[in-house]
Amino acid sequence: MYFKPFEELTFSDDFMFGKVMQDPEICTGVLERLLHIKIDRLEYPQLQKIISPYYTSRGIRLDVYVKDSDRVFDIEMQSTPQDALEKRMRYYQSMLDIDDLIRGSSYDELKESYVIFICKISPFKKDSPDWNHPVYKFETMCRDYPDVIFNDSACKLIYNASAYKTEKDPELRALLNFVCKNNADDNFTRKITSLIDKIKQNEINKTEYMSMNIHEYDKFRAGKKEGIAEGMAEGIKKGIKQGTLAGAQQKAMEDAKKLLKMNVLSLEQIAEAINLPIEQVKKLAEEIHKD
């Protein structure tokens, strides 16, 4: 699977976006520009937060999850087009609510929630007359009686960075321009650029990037359409059919040992990335520890 060189990563790349948004000041600044609100105190951002309330349900892995006293925010960066974006946002919203209620809250204690997708290119079909606006805000409303307020305190926002030129707010326009073109045109985006340079100078970050596959499922689907990952997937299937499963398993075991020695990923993450049973990964970890 193709990985963009670490030195070429920008703010719109998943790994770098997550690292930058770990800075509470930057994270607060991004949210304030996106939502035109003032945030007094923001809890420390959680990266790749996993919500999987039931064994049989499909869990989600959030890019950046943050909250203040009465609001929760999920911020997703989308560098490539994604299928079923609208339904994906619907599911993410429901998972945020479940995550709140699973702790014993009542319905009226649900926090105001924002699911935010920042798209590098327009997520809508270009044959639509409204495909190229910079901001799309969706809230629950009554189609027949728009004046009736349905206050479920849930909001979904899609930002189309490619339409940054038509955004009237200068701070948001500069941020969207930075996402789309990597142009740092104001003090805030220049501050992000400076932080990115510091992140790239840290060898630990490079090691972490090289050993991780962030959002493997989404990248695999995008890569398959472009023919990047199709050969690998087909090769695995053919190998199993031709009776070479033992060789494939041996290769997986070797890859798992390398990742274990790097001591960057958890056992569960390694098992998922290499497609090995967690029991095998644990056994390998014990062997390496003994050695």
Side-chain angles (χ1 to χ4, degrees), residues 99-113:
D99 192 50
D100 254 356
L101 286 178
I102 212 167
R103 300 172 189 151
S105 303
S106 62
Y107 293 122
D108 60 355
E109 292 179 298
L110 280 174
K111 292 177 180 285
E112 185 177 350
S113 67

Side-chain angles (χ1 to χ4, degrees), residues 51-285:
I51 302 177
S52 185
Y54 306 111
Y55 176 76
T56 56
S57 67
R58 176 172 179 169
I60 60 174
R61 189 189 302 268
L62 307 179
D63 278 359
V64 180
Y65 173 83
V66 291
K67 57 184 177 180
D68 61 10
S69 57
D70 55 1
R71 294 171 293 200
V72 295
F73 309 92
D74 166 38
I75 316 166
E76 303 288 322
M77 178 64 74
Q78 300 293 307
S79 297
T80 57
Q82 302 294 326
D83 294 334
L85 181 64
E86 298 91 334
K87 291 185 177 180
R88 182 178 172 190
M89 295 182 76
R90 167 185 163 185
Y91 192 67
Y92 278 31
Q93 188 93 63
S94 68
M95 289 292 104
L96 290 178
D97 291 341
I98 290 175
D99 192 50
D100 254 356
L101 286 178
I102 212 167
R103 300 172 189 151
S105 303
S106 62
Y107 293 122
D108 60 355
E109 292 179 298
L110 280 174
K111 292 177 180 285
E112 185 177 350
S113 67
Y114 294 84
V115 175
I116 302 167
F117 275 59
I118 306 173
C119 301
K120 195 170 183 178
I121 61 176
S122 176
F124 302 112
K125 294 181 179 179
K126 292 189 177 183
D127 55 3
S128 169
D130 295 321
W131 70 274
N132 203 32
H133 293 299
V135 184
Y136 300 87
K137 184 176 181 179
F138 302 95
E139 293 178 310
T140 308
M141 62 172 290
C142 178
R143 184 187 298 272
D144 295 324
Y145 307 103
D147 292 334
V148 176
I149 298 176
F150 191 78
N151 189 21
D152 60 356
S153 298
C155 182
K156 305 178 187 70
L157 296 109
I158 297 176
Y159 292 86
N160 171 22
S162 66
Y164 68 90
K165 292 181 180 179
T166 61
E167 173 54 44
K168 295 180 180 180
D169 179 75
E171 289 187 337
L172 179 54
R173 182 170 62 248
L175 180 61
L176 295 179
N177 181 17
F178 186 59
V179 172
C180 183
K181 300 293 186 180
N182 201 34
N183 294 329
D185 290 339
D186 68 352
N187 289 334
F188 183 68
T189 52
R190 283 190 286 269
K191 189 173 184 178
I192 296 177
T193 299
S194 177
L195 180 56
I196 290 174
D197 290 339
K198 291 180 181 179
I199 292 171
K200 289 182 178 179
Q201 291 169 12
N202 190 326
E203 197 66 25
I204 294 177
N205 293 325
K206 183 175 182 179
T207 301
E208 181 182 352
Y209 173 71
M210 296 301 293
S211 62
M212 291 179 66
N213 184 359
I214 300 177
H215 290 314
E216 181 178 359
Y217 179 71
D218 288 342
K219 287 189 174 183
F220 173 77
R221 291 179 65 186
K224 187 175 181 180
K225 291 180 180 178
E226 300 171 7
I228 295 174
E230 190 171 12
M232 184 178 69
E234 288 301 315
I236 293 174
K237 291 179 181 178
K238 289 180 180 178
I240 294 174
K241 291 180 180 179
Q242 294 170 3
T244 59
L245 179 59
Q249 287 179 331
Q250 181 62 34
K251 178 64 168 58
M253 299 278 277
E254 293 172 359
D255 290 341
K257 287 181 181 178
K258 292 178 182 177
L259 291 175
L260 285 166
K261 290 178 181 178
M262 294 177 74
N263 197 28
V264 175
L265 300 178
S266 68
L267 300 184
E268 290 77 13
Q269 288 173 319
I270 293 174
E272 183 179 357
I274 307 300
N275 196 25
L276 280 177
I278 185 64
E279 291 78 12
Q280 282 187 272
V281 177
K282 289 180 178 179
K283 186 176 180 181
L284 288 174

